[in-house]
Each structure stands twice: as C-alpha cells, then as structure tokens.
Amino acid sequence: MEKAQSFQLVAMPHIIFGTGAIEQAGQWCAQLGSRALLVTGRGSLRRSGCLDEILSNLSDHGVTTTVFEGAEPEPSVNTVQVGRGRLWEAGCDLVVAVGGGSSLDVGKAIGALAGEPGEAAEYQRGRQITERGVPIIAVPTTSGTGSEVTPNAVLIDQERGTKASLRGDGLVPKVAIVDPQLTLTLPPAATAFAGIDAFTQALEGFTSIGANLVTDKFAAEALVHLAGAIRAAYSDGDNLAAREHMSLGSLLAGIGFASSRLGLVHGLAHPVGIASGQPHGRLCGLLLPHVIDFNLEAAQSKYARAARLVGITDDSDDEAAAIALHDWVTQLVAELGIGQSLSDLGISEEDLEPMIAPAMASGSTKHNPREVTEYELRQFLEQML
Ligand SMILES: [Fe+2]
C-alpha cells in the first residue's frame, strides 16, 4: 500500500449554492450582524432590480444597510480606503459584497481591514493584518472569479502602478451565496471573459505544483462543468441550465485553487492588465493557449487527463491528448472573440520589460508546472506580440 499524500486546504466559507439561494441572504446577514455595508459595482445591480430585492430581503430580517456602489471594473486600493471609511461612518458590523470579482474583492478587502488603523495601501504592500475585521458575505453575479471562496483580493496600487493580491484569512467570506439566476443578465462578452477566467483557474489549479488529491477533485469537476456549458452560456444568456453549470464550475475551481494556487497565466495577467487596461478574464483567455503550449511537456499528463475528462479526446497517448486540449482551447478562445496576441491589446515591444519583474515575483508564476526563467519569460512575451 502506498503512503497517503500529505496536504493542506485553506479555510472555506459556508457555501450555499443553487437557483433561488439569494433568498437566504437576509437570514444569513441577521445571524452575522445588524448593520451591513453592501458593496457593489457602479449601477448594474441597481439597474437589474437585484439591489432593491436584496435590500428588502435584508430589511425583512431586521438588517439595516448602507450601500457603497464604488467598485470599479479593475478596482484600486483607494476604493477600499474610501469604502472602509463608509463602513466606519455608518458603524457597520458586516460586509455584503454583491457583484463580479471586482465588487467581491473590494468588499472582502474592506471587511478584512475594518479593524486595522493603517491606510489600505500599506496592507497590500506587505503590512500584516493583525486586527479582526468584520464578517463578509459574498454573492457573485458572474461565474468567473471564484472570489467568493478565496483568501485574496486583487487590487491596483495606483501610486506604484502595480496590481497585486491582498491576502489573508480575514478575506475569506463567512458565507458564500452562489445563485446562478443572478448571472442571467450578464452580457455575452462579460460571460465569455468570466467563463474563460473560471476555465483557466480550473486548469491552472489542476496543473499547479501546489495541487493535491483534494484540490484535483474540485478542479477536475470544475473543468467538466465549465467546458460543457461555456459555449451555451455565451450564445444564449437565458439558458439557466448552462448558467447553473458555469456558476458551479466557477465555484468548484475557486475552492480548488484557493489551496493549490494557479500558474503562469495568472502570473502574467496582472502586469499585462496594467499595461493594457483590459479585463482580467479576457487576458486569461488570450494567454491560456500560449501557456499550455509553454507547459506542454511539463504538464503533459495533467493536460491529457483534463482533455479526456471533458471529452475532447479518448486518445490514450498523453502527448496527443495534451495537444488536443491545446487545440480545443485555442478554438474556444477564437469563438469567444478574445483575440490571440498582445498586439491585439495594443501592447508593443517597449511595454514588455516592465512586465518581467512582477510576473517573476508572482505567487502564481511560482506555482506554474514548468519553472520559468526571466529569459524564457522575455522570449514568451516577445513571441506573443
Ligand atoms: Fe482569474
């Protein structure tokens, strides 16, 4: 008998998944506090009517709410600073973050830093979070980032021109309410970007050097749900079954990668995001086929397993199956209208050098299945122009 593998899993929220789950928001809020700061984006939740429904649900359970509609698409640490000020002014004892990954990340950071005296930027630059924050309830309205279950928030530090994760146990939501119904109004491009982000996270979690037998189960299951539903959700946003599988896949990928960490796509997505200003999910889709190609030998058996799992091929030869995965992903990215090269994003040769150091320093790059040298990374980026 072989020895059982040792592993670690990070803390997870209490997770409520399913169509209609949002109706439980009020009762969960009432268990965790009495004054909520509801953090969301700039207007889309209000326009969809969803904000009013949530506010009335919270009010029915005796929870008063202050709304902070400040989360921008690629959020900055300044937004967290402003939002935390609102939380303090209103005396909130709970954060409810509702929206895409950016709203969840801003809400998580506000909640985690609620008890800290320093400027929000200091913590993103490395100051330790030592004071207890307030409980966070995360409600995703996209199926992509997995932020509802992860211990980090990706924020731009405008002063330093960097994009990086604020990380800590206090950022893990107490409760994640994942209701696929909330994703029905997501437009096709946002569906594509969020969906390919989720798929990338599942695949990078599966091939990460931090993967273990438990994270593999989550990543493998995520790949099956996402690969089977992404085209249907993109072409017919009202397809609730496709939306359910996308939300489930995104959630499962998040549970897996919260512990396994990711890979080179995510190591590069932040610096490329700073240079291009493009949405994170689009960058993941654009980078993914190139990174699979870069990792093809190092992660061959995992890529082959992924290809067989999602039904792309039943070829028993690992090399052929891994190539089939590469080709399938390339085709998918083309169908989703994501683009193929860095030039498609308006990036030119002089933009590449500033990307090297942050990409090399990224925890995601350090978990890539093929070790990356600076020389290889420079070559990789030049080839992607
Ligand atoms: Fe991502």
Side-chain angles (χ1 to χ4, degrees):
M1 188 183 286
E2 271 186 49
K3 206 171 170 296
Q5 191 186 73
S6 303
F7 65 88
Q8 286 192 29
L9 292 179
V10 300
M12 258 187 281
H14 183 115
I15 296 166
I16 301 144
F17 174 84
T19 293
I22 189 63
E23 286 156 27
Q24 296 184 40
Q27 73 196 59
W28 279 101
C29 287
Q31 280 189 36
L32 294 171
S34 59
R35 286 168 182 259
L37 182 76
L38 191 146
V39 178
T40 189
R42 295 178 170 173
S44 62
L45 198 67
R46 189 176 288 278
R47 285 192 296 276
S48 71
C50 185
L51 179 62
D52 285 340
E53 280 178 34
I54 294 174
L55 291 176
S56 116
N57 187 255
L58 266 60
S59 166
D60 288 348
H61 288 82
V63 178
T64 57
T65 310
T66 299
V67 178
F68 176 58
E69 289 177 290
E72 67 272 49
E74 303 295 324
S76 77
V77 75
N78 293 345
T79 304
V80 174
Q81 178 76 14
V82 174
R84 188 182 59 167
R86 293 287 294 279
L87 177 137
W88 284 343
E89 275 161 32
C92 296
D93 54 10
L94 167 72
V95 168
V96 184
V98 189
S102 56
S103 297
L104 301 194
D105 281 2
V106 169
K108 284 161 58 179
I110 292 171
L113 297 177
E116 288 290 337
E119 301 271 310
E122 292 172 37
Y123 300 92
Q124 205 202 10
R125 293 170 190 169
R127 180 168 167 177
Q128 289 298 305
I129 302 172
T130 55
E131 301 296 325
R132 190 196 291 264
V134 299
I136 301 152
I137 295 187
V139 184
T141 61
T142 68
S143 44
T145 67
S147 178
E148 65 274 13
V149 291
T150 61
N152 66 300
V154 180
L155 301 167
I156 293 176
D157 183 339
Q158 281 157 323
E159 232 172 80
R160 296 196 173 182
T162 58
K163 187 174 187 180
S165 274
L166 172 70
R167 192 169 274 281
D169 291 345
L171 281 99
V172 180
K174 279 271 180 285
V175 179
I177 299 176
V178 185
D179 186 339
Q181 197 169 240
L182 303 182
T183 69
L184 285 170
T185 53
L186 200 63
T191 301
F193 296 163
I196 201 72
D197 183 21
F199 184 84
T200 305
Q201 288 169 176
L203 191 61
E204 291 213 293
F206 195 54
T207 55
S208 161
I209 60 165
N212 62 55
L213 80 169
V214 181
T215 61
D216 272 2
K217 298 284 182 210
F218 286 106
E221 191 70 20
L223 285 167
V224 173
H225 288 280
L226 295 166
I230 191 166
R231 287 181 170 91
Y234 175 61
S235 62
D236 175 14
D238 293 329
N239 183 335
L240 182 60
R243 295 293 197 180
E244 286 177 341
H245 287 287
M246 291 304 292
S247 289
L248 182 55
S250 170
L251 171 68
L252 296 171
I255 297 170
F257 90 76
S259 292
S260 67
R261 308 291 298 270
L262 292 162
L264 182 57
V265 171
H266 278 81
L268 276 168
H270 297 341
V272 177
I274 289 283
S276 67
Q278 289 288 317
H280 169 78
R282 181 178 186 202
L283 302 177
C284 288
L286 193 129
L287 289 158
L288 183 60
H290 300 271
V291 170
I292 294 176
D293 192 33
F294 180 80
N295 289 338
L296 207 55
E297 262 181 54
Q300 191 178 80
S301 68
K302 275 288 183 74
Y303 286 150
R305 268 174 68 193
R308 291 181 201 116
L309 272 168
V310 302
I312 294 164
T313 180
D314 53 11
D315 200 319
S316 59
D317 178 63
D318 276 1
E319 188 182 355
I323 290 170
L325 179 77
H326 171 269
D327 295 349
W328 184 87
V329 170
T330 305
Q331 171 70 27
L332 174 66
V333 167
E335 284 175 38
L336 298 177
I338 279 171
Q340 288 183 331
S341 69
L342 294 176
S343 316
D344 290 343
L345 308 176
I347 288 179
S348 51
E349 205 167 349
E350 63 268 21
D351 297 320
L352 301 185
E353 199 53 38
M355 297 179 188
I356 305 283
M360 288 301 293
S362 155
S364 295
T365 305
K366 288 174 182 153
H367 284 79
N368 192 61
R370 174 176 165 185
E371 205 178 327
V372 190
T373 66
E374 263 192 50
Y375 175 76
E376 287 166 338
L377 190 61
R378 202 167 278 117
Q379 260 192 333
F380 177 90
L381 289 169
E382 281 166 7
Q383 282 164 8
M384 272 203 72
L385 275 174

